[in-house]
Amino acid sequence: MNTSLRFDNRFVSELPGDPEESPRLRQVRGALWSRVLPTPVAAPRVLAWSPECAALLGLGEEDVQAPWFAQVFGGNRQMPGMEPYAANYGGHQFGNWAGQLGDGRAILLGETVNAQGERWELQLKGAGPTPYSRGADGRAVLRSSLREFLCSEAMHHLGVPTTRALSLVATGDGVMRDMFYDGRPREEPGAIVCRVAPSFIRFGNFELPAARGEVELLQKLVDFTIARDFPHLAALPETERRIAWFREVCERTATMVAHWMRVGFVHGVMNTDNLSILGLTIDYGPYGWIDNLDPDWTPNTTDAGGRRYRFGHQARIAHWNLAQLANALVPVMQDTGPLEEGLQHYVQTFLGAERAHNAAKLGLRGALAQEDTLMRDLFGLLHAAETDMTIFFRALAGLDLNAPALALFDAAFYDPAKRDAQAPLFEQWLERYAARVREEALDPAERVRRMNAANPCYVPRNYLAQQAIDSAEAGDMAPLHALHDVLRHPYTEQPGREAFAARRPDWARNRAGCSMLSCSS
Ligand code: AMP
Ligand code: MG
């Protein structure tokens, strides 16, 4: 076993834990975590791993191939220094306070410190029951684990703040799931992802002690979070420190959501237990990627009625979630003014980031002015003409500014009739845009570079992930490995891999997994 991993488990050594050590379901009061070991699995086998994430931990291929790796990251053994636990947190689900939730199937193995002094928490998702499993099995199926593995790493390479994924390990055990909630459960292959992040603390970790009136516990968690995860604020006096911290949480959340909008990512379940205190994208469940641009689209069938977490609503929901966090923090703040200012700062940061991303996507200077309608008008057209967001923006850099033509975007349209209906307005927009670019006179090569760095060529489209899942379930991991590899360089055109940049095929339009997903995972 590689014993070069050094553990320094501050969460369990500095914060109050639950005295009971068993996975018995219970309400856990006065404590922020419960000791629990992963439940062993039948035949752990590494299906995929991330070299970049492994490197963060000082691990390499020889470690991944050694027998201990699958044993440890399948949950059968622990490395020296690991002190596994499940975190106790609550959350607002779909707008309603849900009380205690906690890590129902995630088990934190330990906090490792690498040679550069960086702290990385290792967490298994799908490692078996915990006190927070609420009657569920604590497991995860291959399809959902594969999606989490693939998307976490793709997001990292896209430049979106995210938790990372070290490994995807098949358990060799079956897991019963009623995927369509139609009363016909079937056994699916189980798999476990090892997630990696500097911190897995969520908004919900603060909300639960606040809701229970456990102010001292809340205060300990706030001080701990700042000390461990925001060390640059540690020197400030207490009041200023907490104010600066909340402001930074708001800022990081805004930055994250602005990136989601830039690349066309829809989280799908933005409950407060699924928002990270570090502004990292966390808990990849029924997430999805925008094919044809539609601000009202949500991948999550559980949310199909209200569409609370639809693409175009994400910035508002993040604000709502921050407001819930602010409410939870009231007991540890001197007054509420700074919390309101933090929320304002969220709005300003998001709008600023959005204007900067939009300028970069369009190849224009600086950030778009607040009153600039160029992008808003384009979004309206892309929506009306059922246009692929990723293909359109990637192609835009190649527009002939002296003779702009809609034909350049042929590969982006899903419905020729809708394209034709919008063609005159589209052509007007292209003329207006070309005039604007000519007027700004940015160096052409610099402009293309700027656009190609903001507009990915490859994203983990829902149907591509589903194809990788279908193959993986049939025992063939090659499609996942190929997709994972393409997504390591999402801004670089990769000759021979054009198929990965193609629009969603017709067969995938309404197929489960390709256009919609349930929470069953
Ligand atoms: P999610 O919406 O996936 O973030 O999950 C909400 C809550 O349900 C969290 O507390 C999860 O830990 C818990 N949960 C989801 N799936 C399972 C499962 N299979 N077993 C136990 N707990 C689960
Ligand atoms: Mg969750």
Side-chain angles (χ1 to χ4, degrees):
M1 185 173 303
N2 182 321
T3 47
S4 70
L5 282 189
R6 187 164 70 79
F7 287 92
D8 174 32
N9 304 316
R10 290 184 61 181
F11 195 91
V12 292
S13 63
E14 294 177 29
L15 291 171
D18 176 7
E20 184 173 336
E21 292 185 24
S22 93
R24 184 182 68 83
L25 300 184
R26 56 193 182 268
Q27 290 291 308
V28 176
R29 292 175 202 279
L32 295 164
W33 53 274
S34 303
R35 239 177 247 290
V36 61
L37 288 178
T39 303
V41 300
R45 192 162 57 87
V46 180
L47 299 179
W49 63 288
S50 159
E52 295 86 359
C53 184
L56 295 174
L57 310 175
L59 298 176
E61 179 147 24
E62 60 293 353
D63 297 305
V64 176
Q65 272 161 12
W68 64 263
F69 188 93
Q71 294 292 329
V72 167
F73 296 106
N76 286 7
R77 279 173 69 183
Q78 283 76 51
M79 302 177 88
M82 285 180 171
E83 295 180 87
Y85 73 89
N88 186 14
Y89 55 79
H92 281 83
Q93 297 184 311
F94 298 96
N96 304 306
W97 175 242
Q100 176 181 303
L101 295 169
D103 286 333
R105 57 173 166 171
I107 295 182
L108 205 305
L109 297 175
E111 302 170 36
T112 171
V113 181
N114 70 11
Q116 292 74 45
E118 296 166 349
R119 180 172 298 269
W120 294 101
E121 292 195 310
L122 308 181
Q123 188 188 66
L124 298 185
K125 183 166 172 182
T130 79
Y132 309 101
S133 296
R134 297 181 298 141
D137 58 9
R139 292 300 185 187
V141 292
L142 175 60
R143 61 184 156 84
S144 69
S145 296
L146 185 155
R147 282 168 46 84
E148 174 141 21
F149 172 82
L150 181 74
C151 198
S152 317
E153 290 303 281
M155 291 282 265
H156 165 71
H157 294 295
L158 283 161
V160 184
T162 180
T163 60
R164 304 293 301 274
L166 171 66
S167 53
L168 173 67
V169 173
T171 60
D173 291 322
V175 176
M176 288 302 278
R177 285 291 181 272
D178 186 357
M179 181 172 162
F180 298 105
Y181 299 119
D182 62 358
R184 288 186 303 179
R186 67 172 178 113
E187 195 176 79
E188 299 188 42
I192 296 175
V193 172
C194 178
R195 310 198 286 196
V196 176
S199 171
F200 281 94
I201 297 176
R202 305 140 186 270
F203 291 8
N205 293 70
F206 302 91
E207 287 182 277
L208 185 61
R212 287 172 168 169
E214 298 172 335
V215 177
E216 202 183 316
L217 194 63
L218 174 65
Q219 198 153 319
K220 281 188 179 146
L221 180 62
V222 169
D223 291 342
F224 172 84
T225 303
I226 299 175
R228 191 192 66 170
D229 298 336
F230 296 76
H232 50 284
L233 303 178
L236 294 170
E238 183 178 278
T239 304
E240 285 79 8
R241 187 165 73 221
R242 291 181 184 170
I243 293 170
W245 170 63
F246 181 69
R247 185 181 162 88
E248 187 171 334
V249 174
C250 290
E251 187 170 306
R252 285 168 171 261
T253 306
T255 302
M256 171 186 78
V257 178
H259 276 293
W260 291 357
M261 301 311 290
R262 174 177 66 81
V263 298
F265 174 78
V266 191
H267 183 284
V269 203
M270 292 177 72
N271 294 332
T272 55
D273 54 306
N274 292 341
L275 263 87
S276 132
I277 204 71
L278 281 178
L280 306 173
T281 313
I282 188 174
D283 273 8
Y284 292 86
Y287 71 81
W289 287 80
I290 290 289
D291 292 311
N292 52 300
L293 196 145
D294 178 357
D296 294 330
W297 184 71
T298 174
N300 184 355
T301 50
T302 311
D303 191 27
R307 292 180 186 261
R308 179 178 173 86
Y309 299 140
R310 60 191 183 270
F311 180 53
H313 212 216
Q314 298 189 111
R316 262 175 288 170
I317 290 294
H319 184 266
W320 189 91
N321 288 347
L322 284 163
Q324 305 317 308
L325 176 62
N327 278 338
L329 297 177
V330 168
V332 300
M333 302 295 271
Q334 303 282 347
D335 76 273
T336 56
L339 292 170
E340 277 155 25
E341 279 162 33
L343 293 172
Q344 273 307 314
H345 183 58
Y346 165 85
V347 175
Q348 293 314 318
T349 307
F350 177 78
L351 293 175
E354 181 181 56
R355 294 203 294 263
H357 287 318
N358 285 347
K361 287 181 83 67
L362 294 171
L364 298 171
R365 278 184 204 278
L368 295 188
Q370 197 171 349
E371 62 283 359
D372 195 329
T373 60
L374 195 62
M375 190 58 123
R376 200 182 320 145
D377 294 347
L378 174 61
F379 265 48
L381 285 168
L382 294 174
H383 183 201
E386 220 176 87
T387 321
D388 191 274
M389 176 178 173
T390 305
I391 297 176
F392 179 87
F393 280 103
R394 188 70 187 187
L396 188 60
L399 190 72
D400 181 345
L401 298 171
N402 297 310
L406 194 54
L408 176 68
F409 306 100
D410 268 356
F413 293 107
Y414 284 93
D415 181 339
K418 288 188 179 162
R419 175 200 57 202
D420 292 350
Q422 300 301 321
L425 285 172
F426 233 124
E427 277 152 7
Q428 273 176 30
W429 186 91
L430 289 175
E431 287 290 354
R432 175 180 161 207
Y433 168 70
R436 176 78 175 274
V437 174
R438 288 195 305 263
E439 186 186 295
E440 287 203 350
L442 260 183
D443 170 60
E446 167 58 17
R447 178 173 161 269
V448 170
R449 195 203 54 74
R450 184 165 153 77
M451 292 178 81
N452 283 353
N455 297 318
C457 186
Y458 307 100
V459 295
R461 291 176 183 273
N462 314 313
Y463 85 90
L464 293 173
Q466 187 58 41
Q467 286 177 322
I469 289 167
D470 291 343
S471 298
E473 288 183 346
D476 178 9
M477 298 312 299
L480 170 64
H481 295 156
L483 182 56
H484 174 206
D485 198 46
V486 170
L487 293 168
R488 292 165 84 187
H489 304 285
Y491 297 102
T492 310
E493 264 131 56
Q494 300 171 43
R497 289 171 151 181
E498 291 75 13
F500 293 98
R503 66 170 183 258
R504 178 196 62 220
D506 264 350
W507 60 259
R509 182 179 283 260
N510 292 312
R511 219 202 109 178
C514 299
S515 61
M516 59 208 161
L517 295 127
S518 72
C519 276
S520 148
S521 61

